[in-house]
């Protein structure tokens, strides 16, 4: 009878030890996964912050030139039935300058505007 109690006691101690070891391993693994998630979150935040800084810098570097063209607009609107629109060289040059200025601003993620 005494041997039976000793065996039951050993089995119970082994079960308790195994349960505590398993719980300790589970907690360690959970801490490891949480640390990896925190590192990944910090890395993503830094990437977003650097992108926002580049965009802000590009916005501050961008120079806008405003020019009102009334003579050319009136010339094109005089005939509303006209389906073909031929632009003069000055209009084409202004359009190309605007495209080149938009493409020269560095730091934006948008693709380049197509020119002729």
């Amino acid at each position: 009878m005494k041997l039976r109690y000793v065996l039951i006691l050993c089995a119970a101690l082994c079960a308790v030890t195994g349960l505590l070891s398993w719980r300790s391993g589970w907690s360690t693994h959970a801490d490891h996964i949480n640390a990896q998630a925190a590192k990944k979150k910090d890395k993503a935040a830094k990437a977003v912050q650097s992108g926002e800084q580049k965009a802000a810098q590009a916005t501050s570097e961008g120079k806008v030139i405003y020019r009102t063209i009334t003579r050319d607009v009136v010339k094109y609107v005089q005939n509303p039935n006209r389906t073909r629109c031929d632009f003069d060289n000055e209009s084409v040059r202004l359009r190309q300058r605007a495209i080149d200025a938009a493409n020269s601003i560095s730091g934006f993620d948008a693709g380049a505007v197509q020119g002729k």
Side-chain angles (χ1 to χ4, degrees):
M1 210 54 187
K2 200 172 190 186
L3 183 60
R4 188 176 289 174
Y5 291 135
V6 171
L7 290 176
I8 292 174
L9 180 63
C10 286
L13 286 176
C14 286
V16 168
T17 304
L19 181 65
L20 290 176
S21 297
W22 176 79
R23 183 168 167 82
S24 174
W26 182 271
S27 297
T28 303
H29 178 68
D31 292 340
H32 176 69
I33 295 298
N34 289 337
Q36 284 181 340
K39 285 180 185 177
K40 188 181 277 188
K41 183 178 177 183
D42 290 342
K43 186 177 179 181
K46 286 179 184 178
V48 168
Q49 183 181 11
S50 67
E52 288 176 352
Q53 286 175 349
K54 285 181 183 178
Q57 181 182 5
T59 302
S60 66
E61 288 177 1
K63 187 167 79 172
V64 179
I65 299 173
Y66 293 102
R67 187 175 293 172
T68 305
I69 303 172
T70 55
R71 177 183 52 90
D72 293 336
V73 172
V74 172
K75 181 172 73 174
Y76 296 130
V77 177
Q78 286 176 352
N79 187 357
N81 296 327
R82 186 174 183 173
T83 59
R84 184 167 174 234
C85 190
D86 294 327
F87 294 103
D88 61 349
N89 291 337
E90 180 66 17
S91 298
V92 173
R93 188 182 65 76
L94 287 175
R95 177 184 176 273
Q96 191 59 45
R97 280 185 59 196
I99 290 171
D100 293 340
N103 288 338
S104 68
I105 297 175
S106 62
F108 280 117
D109 297 335
V113 178
Q114 293 181 356
K116 282 193 173 185

